[in-house]
Amino acid sequence: MPTMKNRELDLSEFPAGTVTEFTTLVCLACIFDIFTKQLGLAPRTAFSEIKRHTPAIEELTTRTAKRPYFDSDEKHPHCPFCGSAKRWLARFDTYCIEGGKTTDGPRRALLKKMPQAGDQFLVLEKKSDSRAVFFEWLGTLRLNLDLSDERWLLDATRNYLERRDPKTNWEEVFSEIRTVRRSARLPEGWERDGERLFLAPKIYGEALLIQYLVSRSQAHGGMTLEGRLTLMDLIRRLRYSGYLDQIGITEHDPGEIFEKLIDHLASTSDWSRVSIPTSRGSDRVIGSKKTTKKAAKKSTKSRKSKTTAPAQPDEIVVELVKLHYIIDRRDFLEKVKSVYAAYAS
Ligand SMILES: [Zn+2]
């Protein structure tokens, strides 16, 4: 029996934040029950049907799975529906890889290395728009943050910067950072001064927006580096800092502004890493990304700023992103086999 460690897929070739992992448990007692009692199949037929079975992507990646699927963080989980213990429980690991130039190579290499026999892995594709990708990213980020520890504000900011500028080693930058502030003089980019990280107003504004989105609740707004803000507070700050003008939002209704903000954030190439320019809007974003890359390469100091012309309002482009799902069925196949052996004897 190989250990779990050896069985994990090597995802080290993928840029940070482009692969999302999901684990879902399935109770084989429940699934056998469904196939034999509800569907009336003989155990042997049920066995061969179940072996072929793969849950839908939604069941593998949402946190509200239905019988016979469930999620559990416990070390010794039990089925919440029938109480079955570990040997009846199988695990599906799902890896969602965002399609794009930076992930195509590593993804093909990974698929080549995976065992092909016996449907141990299943590969599916799904098209998604940048907004859906963005919200999925936000949901995962929220799950990985401890909102009761103030440090989460820095973690959320770092995660956002990793998406915006993947060429910089943000892990290293943040290892010494204690506070993040809005820069009064940087037109673009960022600058580190000891334990303080200064962000250009536009980047700082987007970091606040991310923090707001991660922590917002119906009644109390969201927590940010500037304290708890309602949507109105947040919009006011973004307006005064010039951010709304900069990205071409001229609306006055808070709801409409909010929608435009989300679309803007979700559709910039830095977020979704879709690199096929289809309009002037995309071109511009990609152009500005290149400048950032160049600056990142030549700077060995932790100082960086851009001297290019002031940013023009970006056009809102909803870009289609292809999501590649790799479903690891190995544990499931093994458990089905051993459970059937017990069942049939
Ligand atoms: Zn069960």
Side-chain angles (χ1 to χ4, degrees), residues 27-31 67-68 70 79-84 89:
C27 173
L28 296 175
C30 281
I31 210 171
R67 185 178 185 241
F70 63 100
C79 170
F81 312 107
C82 74
S84 286
L89 308 177

Side-chain angles (χ1 to χ4, degrees), residues 67-307:
R67 185 178 185 241
Y69 309 101
F70 63 100
D71 292 332
S72 174
D73 294 327
E74 283 164 52
K75 206 171 172 205
H76 302 287
H78 285 79
C79 170
F81 312 107
C82 74
S84 286
K86 205 174 172 187
R87 76 182 188 93
W88 293 90
L89 308 177
R91 172 181 143 181
F92 284 103
D93 290 318
T94 307
Y95 305 86
C96 175
I97 303 167
E98 261 184 58
K101 261 191 189 154
T102 58
T103 57
D104 282 350
R107 181 173 50 81
R108 285 195 200 103
L110 178 67
L111 293 182
K112 241 182 238 166
K113 269 189 288 178
M114 285 181 343
Q116 310 293 325
D119 295 330
Q120 296 176 73
F121 287 92
L122 190 74
V123 181
L124 300 171
E125 282 175 10
K126 193 174 100 177
K127 277 207 180 106
S128 183
D129 62 42
S130 53
R131 209 178 151 108
V133 172
F134 176 59
F135 275 107
E136 217 159 285
W137 179 84
L138 270 180
T140 307
L141 176 63
R142 188 179 298 129
L143 284 176
N144 288 316
L145 294 174
D146 176 7
L147 297 193
S148 62
D149 178 352
E150 248 181 37
R151 178 92 203 165
W152 80 262
L153 287 163
L154 294 184
D155 290 339
T157 307
R158 178 176 53 80
N159 274 278
Y160 152 69
L161 289 168
E162 276 170 0
R163 293 295 287 201
R164 191 178 191 283
D165 171 13
K167 297 287 171 192
T168 299
N169 186 346
W170 290 106
E171 193 99 33
E172 199 183 298
V173 173
F174 270 79
S175 64
E176 290 165 35
I177 296 298
R178 298 285 166 270
T179 51
V180 176
R181 304 219 178 132
R182 181 204 311 270
S183 169
R185 48 178 209 88
L186 287 178
E188 268 294 338
W190 57 279
E191 186 177 62
R192 199 172 78 194
D193 178 11
E195 296 187 335
R196 295 177 301 174
L197 178 68
F198 289 93
L199 300 176
K202 182 177 173 180
I203 304 178
Y204 184 81
E206 292 187 346
L208 290 187
L209 188 54
I210 295 290
Q211 293 153 12
Y212 172 86
L213 289 169
V214 164
S215 64
R216 76 185 154 148
S217 62
Q218 218 67 34
H220 304 293
M223 271 309 286
T224 69
L225 285 166
E226 310 216 329
R228 190 169 282 289
L229 302 180
T230 63
L231 181 59
M232 286 306 290
D233 298 332
L234 181 68
I235 288 173
R236 207 171 295 132
R237 274 174 167 74
L238 295 177
R239 192 188 297 286
Y240 288 149
S241 74
Y243 178 73
L244 296 188
D245 283 343
Q246 219 175 352
I247 64 170
I249 294 181
T250 52
E251 279 76 3
H252 286 280
D253 176 67
E256 281 175 34
I257 293 174
F258 187 63
E259 289 304 304
K260 289 255 166 135
L261 282 171
I262 302 285
D263 277 338
H264 175 80
L265 206 51
S267 67
T268 47
S269 294
D270 297 308
W271 277 106
S272 55
R273 290 208 194 91
V274 171
S275 42
I276 312 141
T278 50
S279 72
R280 280 178 60 233
S282 297
D283 257 323
R284 199 147 51 215
V285 174
I286 284 165
S288 75
K289 197 167 144 190
K290 270 183 197 148
T291 316
T292 312
K293 263 187 217 163
K294 242 183 270 160
K297 252 181 223 159
K298 70 174 181 213
S299 75
T300 42
K301 300 171 287 182
S302 61
R303 185 177 272 256
K304 188 175 75 171
S305 65
K306 279 206 302 189
T307 48

Side-chain angles (χ1 to χ4, degrees), residues 22-24 54-62 65 69 71 92-94 124 327:
F22 303 90
T23 296
T24 296
T54 296
I57 288 171
E58 285 69 29
E59 286 161 324
L60 293 171
T61 58
T62 54
Y69 309 101
D71 292 332
F92 284 103
D93 290 318
T94 307
L124 300 171
I327 302 165

